[in-house]
Amino acid sequence: GHTTGPSLSNDKLYKFAYSAEVYVDQVKASLQKSAGYRISSAVDVNLLWRNPDNDDDQLVKVMIRDVQVENVNERPAAKSIFKGKSTEKLIKKEHLEALQRPMLLELVRGKVKNFYSYQNEPGFTQNIKRGLASLFQLQLHSGAAREVDISGKCNTTYHVRQDQVTKIKDLDSCETEKQGFTSHNQILGVSTKATSATIYVLEDGFIKSIKAEENYAFLLNFRRKTGAKIVSKQRLELKSIQSGPGLIAEKQVASVVRNLDSSYVTVPLVAEPVKSECKKCPSLSEHWQSIREHMYPEKLSKAEAAKSFLSFIQNIRKTTKEEILQLIKNENKELLPQIVDAVTSAQTPASLQAILEFLDFKDASTSVLQERFLYACGFASHPSEMLLKSLTATFKGDIANEEIRETLVIVMGAVIRKLCDREGCKLPAVVEAKRLILNRLEKATKDDNVRMYLLALKNALLPEAIPLLLKYAESEEGAISNVAATTLQRYDPSFLTKEVKETMNRIYHQNRKVHEKTVRTTAAAIILNSNPSYMEVKNILLSIGELPLEMNKYMLSMIQDILRFEMPSSKTIRKVLKDMRAHNYDRFSKMGSSSAYSGYITRGPDVSSTYSLDILYSGSGILRRSNMNIHMFDRNAELHASQVVIEAQGLESIIAATPDEGEENLDSFAGMSAILFDVQLRPVTFFQGYGDLMSKMFSATGDPINVVKGLILLTDYSQEIQLQSGPRTSTEFLGGLAIDISGGMEFSLWYRESKTNIKIRVAMFVAGNTEVDSFFVKTGMENTLEVETTLDFISTVQFSQYPFLVCMQMERAESPFRHYVTKYESLPSGRRYTAKRGKAELLAGNEYPLHQENSNMCRKVFSAKSESSSNWF
């Protein structure tokens, strides 16, 4: 009863058997086939000294003997990497000697007050000792405590029942040097779960047995079947008690320790970071030579390109600025853009310095590389303040190419948003960049500059920019009011104040001035997406029927889509429709070809993805805007995976038609704007002005214009974890995308037909590696996933009659999908055991059903085409 911690008997030697096991496997797997290893030994424990003034202050000697290393699961000899190797050979003699040198623990009320060991012992043996020493820490009454052990300072809870004590350690609460990072968007990230429990059985006041188990699970959020777990188990069992050496009579513990061995020092119980050196790792240039052939531009839609890109990033992250620069300076023009993608995506201080030193923004001839660098910054998985600082400095300097200047400021917006999402909004570089964009926008006089800063805000989504955006949306026209309105559409509805909604209602209903259809429909979409009131919905429904021809049809289609897809405002719309029954039929039977439609691409247990497609025409049958979106979402996050908008205006003169009301003065223009993984890219112009249009039309080859091409790092997760038994583990999940998006628009005056087509080719590769590193043995598991696919979106319009015929097709080509899992154990000598399983399948292609009306139209278009054998012009 006088003690609150375990108490050792005097003059006794306690002989224990100890084992520490590690297992690595898939999350749901049982442990019988896991990769791993077991370290077992004898452990001798005896009491050296007890404080004469406090019975509960004891100095204990702990000594490891007879160390063995073996497989954690029974294996035939041919498959065991340990077979025929003595422990001394495996662990190395000096390490084994260090491991078997005794350590001393001063236990006060059951907690480790001091851990004595030798100063320059190898970190990895010291950590195994710390793992054993931490087991001796326990209290004999129920309750919670913050304790320090090998894992750091952690919240720990004890439950005591007679001779059994359960210790639960909350691993998420441990204070340690955290190393690692994760992707900016949660959908692309990795979820982790960690638990630790230890059960003690006591006998005669001291330990009879200890069983400890620690579990870590890692799951890829967008495919939770892909993941890994690490299980670490420790066991200590009392085998016998023999008579042992007597107690040392001293007043102070320090003098006892000094007299035993003057080399003893107090060492922290928290683990020290250790890393085993890579012996046969290829240099950066050797590695590049081995993957170079997969990195040519024409191979970028293959999974092999994405795979090589990921392994290259991993290597770049370990190298110096000089090595990176040397590689960049010696490569040819065709391969440089892919190297720039990888170096920028590596996001280390060395890689950033190297690329900034290499790129010369005063030189317009290398603008392709500058653009690839900038987009890779925009897609950065965990951008640093340093990156934003460098971009701001570049923007203030000389930039030869105007399009690069525009791209640069648009990308700064994306980096600001990512830093703000990570609580970095108050960082000096972020404050400066925000101020720069807002101030320059207010001072800008040229339309092009205004548009450029608005596009930067479309990425940054600063709450303080909303008043400015409202001003531009309502008082400007053309491209500027359009960008301002679509920027507001990207904000979370929670930011859209009463003032925003009042402005959007004024724009839609044209209370102050006439607005273009494109801006009015965006305003309507914002109102309907941000919890609209009964009156707002009623006024929009009442307006249908009074709108310009095609806009009627478009708004009607938007309302039907909200109802069919059960979007949040559908309840209010149903209520209003019920009350408006009387004057419905005429209003809702409008002719026209515009439409809006949403559907699912995939519906899964983890992540679902939707597509939405809306098309707005002018009254004369010329495309005004086509907007195609793909969104991914899980239970708590959303990702705007892609948006491709093709806009055209002022093209009526080509077919000698009358422009719609309020659009008489619009300049001829057609272009394309894209959002990729939540980042707005710089819009691309197909033609601007009547002259440009005519010259391009008569030379129209219909060749698609490339909008985006490159390699993007999407999933980027890296974590190092200290196991409580001693070894360190590292987990990495990297997901890369090789992407190629192109779009084009062609006209045939002869057949009065226009065609827009968008092609998205992607190859994705995900590699996960979870490894436990004990210096003398490594064990782990690699996960790989790969898929290649092509999405085609084609719309054909025949405007020889009204309502003109429109046929939209959205197709996904058949896609190869492969998934492999490899478990391994390896020794530094190169001896290795691996077990690989996996599957490859072909996912069938798919034509996505758009609405019924569209299917009927496509039949007409294609029957009309077969009658007149179509060749362009």
Side-chain angles (χ1 to χ4, degrees), residues 567-702:
M567 292 174 201
S569 57
S570 57
K571 288 190 183 60
T572 314
I573 294 177
R574 284 207 163 85
K575 209 168 145 209
V576 175
L577 283 172
K578 224 165 101 184
D579 301 347
M580 281 175 61
R581 215 171 296 137
H583 40 272
N584 248 353
Y585 181 73
D586 173 54
R587 176 172 322 243
F588 292 152
S589 58
K590 290 294 162 201
M591 279 172 46
S593 310
S594 301
S595 64
Y597 189 81
S598 306
Y600 280 99
I601 297 179
T602 55
R603 291 181 87 158
D606 313 320
V607 169
S608 295
S609 51
T610 59
Y611 65 89
S612 67
L613 181 59
D614 60 86
I615 293 207
L616 175 63
Y617 292 94
S618 68
S620 53
I622 295 254
L623 176 77
R624 280 295 269 117
R625 182 184 65 210
S626 89
N627 183 353
M628 151 103 182
N629 288 283
I630 296 177
H631 284 268
M632 288 169 74
F633 50 90
D634 63 11
R635 288 177 202 84
N636 13 24
E638 181 184 350
L639 173 65
H640 197 168
S642 75
Q643 177 186 63
V644 181
V645 180
I646 291 186
E647 288 199 62
Q649 62 177 40
L651 302 188
E652 281 72 19
S653 50
I654 318 177
I655 55 166
T658 323
D660 293 0
E661 175 210 13
E663 301 190 353
E664 296 82 3
N665 307 327
L666 291 178
D667 196 13
S668 304
F669 163 82
M672 176 157 158
S673 161
I675 288 175
L676 202 55
F677 302 109
D678 268 332
V679 179
Q680 166 73 48
L681 310 181
R682 185 180 58 76
V684 177
T685 301
F686 294 153
F687 50 78
Q688 174 99 48
Y690 188 71
D692 188 23
L693 162 68
M694 287 328 259
S695 70
K696 288 211 172 117
M697 237 180 78
F698 288 109
S699 65
T701 52

Side-chain angles (χ1 to χ4, degrees), residues 203-221:
E203 191 173 66
D204 300 334
F206 195 52
I207 293 160
K208 185 186 179 190
S209 71
I210 305 177
K211 278 185 185 173
E213 185 170 316
E214 183 181 31
N215 281 285
Y216 287 92
F218 305 91
L219 298 164
L220 204 53
N221 287 339

Side-chain angles (χ1 to χ4, degrees), residues 242-403:
Q242 302 172 4
S243 60
L247 287 190
I248 302 168
E250 279 282 1
K251 274 276 196 228
Q252 299 294 332
V253 72
S255 42
V256 182
V257 176
R258 211 171 26 252
N259 293 340
L260 276 167
D261 185 339
S262 57
S263 313
Y264 272 126
V265 287
T266 57
V267 176
L269 198 51
V270 181
E272 59 190 278
V274 282
K275 199 103 189 110
S276 55
E277 283 300 300
C278 184
K279 299 270 192 299
K280 301 190 182 114
C281 288
S283 70
L284 192 63
S285 58
E286 287 167 344
H287 184 177
W288 171 248
Q289 288 309 321
S290 71
I291 59 169
R292 193 170 177 267
E293 59 172 302
H294 304 300
M295 302 301 262
Y296 280 94
E298 63 276 10
K299 295 194 177 169
L300 285 194
S301 50
K302 290 276 170 268
E304 197 59 53
K307 177 185 179 176
S308 305
F309 169 65
L310 297 181
S311 65
F312 193 38
I313 287 174
Q314 284 174 304
N315 205 327
I316 296 170
R317 284 179 169 166
K318 299 181 192 127
T319 35
T320 61
K321 178 182 104 171
E322 288 69 31
E323 271 187 273
I324 297 169
L325 268 171
Q326 196 182 351
L327 181 75
I328 304 180
K329 286 177 174 164
N330 293 323
E331 196 40 272
N332 73 28
K333 238 162 103 180
E334 224 184 339
L335 289 162
L336 268 176
Q338 288 72 263
I339 295 186
V340 170
D341 286 341
V343 172
T344 313
S345 301
Q347 299 168 73
T348 60
S351 65
L352 178 62
Q353 285 171 337
I355 196 79
L356 287 169
E357 202 167 302
F358 171 70
L359 291 174
D360 176 8
F361 285 86
K362 296 189 198 61
D363 175 5
S365 69
T366 57
S367 60
V368 170
L369 299 179
Q370 296 163 30
E371 183 174 73
R372 289 285 271 267
F373 160 70
L374 291 171
Y375 281 149
C377 292
F379 297 128
S381 50
H382 51 272
S384 61
E385 186 188 8
M386 191 61 219
L387 173 66
L388 184 57
K389 225 171 145 155
S390 313
L391 292 174
T392 309
T394 308
F395 184 69
K396 289 176 170 172
D398 285 343
I399 299 170
N401 180 323
E402 196 44 49
E403 289 183 351

Side-chain angles (χ1 to χ4, degrees), residues 139-164:
Q139 65 183 43
L140 297 182
H141 56 277
S142 296
R146 240 178 119 57
E147 288 185 355
V148 175
D149 70 359
I150 182 169
S151 313
K153 190 174 190 181
C154 313
N155 295 344
T156 311
T157 313
Y158 288 93
H159 300 282
V160 181
R161 277 181 40 216
Q162 285 144 332
D163 282 339
Q164 186 168 319

Side-chain angles (χ1 to χ4, degrees), residues 62-199:
V62 179
M63 186 169 167
I64 296 173
R65 293 184 301 108
D66 306 333
V67 180
Q68 298 288 322
V69 182
E70 55 202 337
N71 289 106
V72 72
N73 284 315
E74 283 302 307
R75 288 241 171 86
K79 291 197 167 174
S80 166
I81 57 170
F82 303 120
K83 197 74 197 157
K85 290 216 171 212
S86 66
T87 307
E88 198 170 285
K89 254 215 167 106
L90 282 167
I91 297 185
K92 292 213 181 79
K93 192 170 169 201
E94 62 272 28
H95 288 132
L96 193 57
E97 282 170 6
L99 197 53
Q100 298 185 351
R101 261 178 239 140
M103 53 182 152
L104 310 179
L105 305 178
E106 185 186 358
L107 296 171
V108 178
R109 290 197 288 284
K111 305 293 168 87
V112 178
K113 186 185 175 191
N114 282 305
F115 168 57
Y116 297 95
S117 186
Y118 295 90
Q119 190 134 31
N120 38 17
E121 264 194 22
F124 114 89
T125 54
Q126 200 79 286
N127 282 347
I128 290 181
K129 288 182 174 180
R130 290 181 167 110
L132 176 58
S134 297
L135 287 179
F136 286 96
Q137 176 158 279
L138 83 153
Q139 65 183 43
L140 297 182
H141 56 277
S142 296
R146 240 178 119 57
E147 288 185 355
V148 175
D149 70 359
I150 182 169
S151 313
K153 190 174 190 181
C154 313
N155 295 344
T156 311
T157 313
Y158 288 93
H159 300 282
V160 181
R161 277 181 40 216
Q162 285 144 332
D163 282 339
Q164 186 168 319
V165 180
T166 307
K167 169 162 93 172
I168 305 286
K169 185 158 58 174
D170 175 6
L171 293 168
D172 294 329
S173 72
C174 298
E175 279 173 37
T176 49
E177 282 292 308
K178 283 274 193 298
Q179 288 190 315
F181 42 79
T182 183
S183 309
H184 170 256
N185 189 296
Q186 192 184 320
I187 289 180
L188 303 171
V190 172
S191 300
T192 56
K193 223 165 111 184
T195 57
S196 161
T198 309
I199 296 170

Side-chain angles (χ1 to χ4, degrees), residues 720-740:
E720 285 203 10
I721 291 167
Q722 176 62 49
L723 295 182
Q724 61 192 25
S725 57
R728 271 181 95 74
T729 76
S730 62
T731 301
E732 284 192 309
F733 277 91
L734 289 178
L737 198 66
I739 190 160
D740 188 342

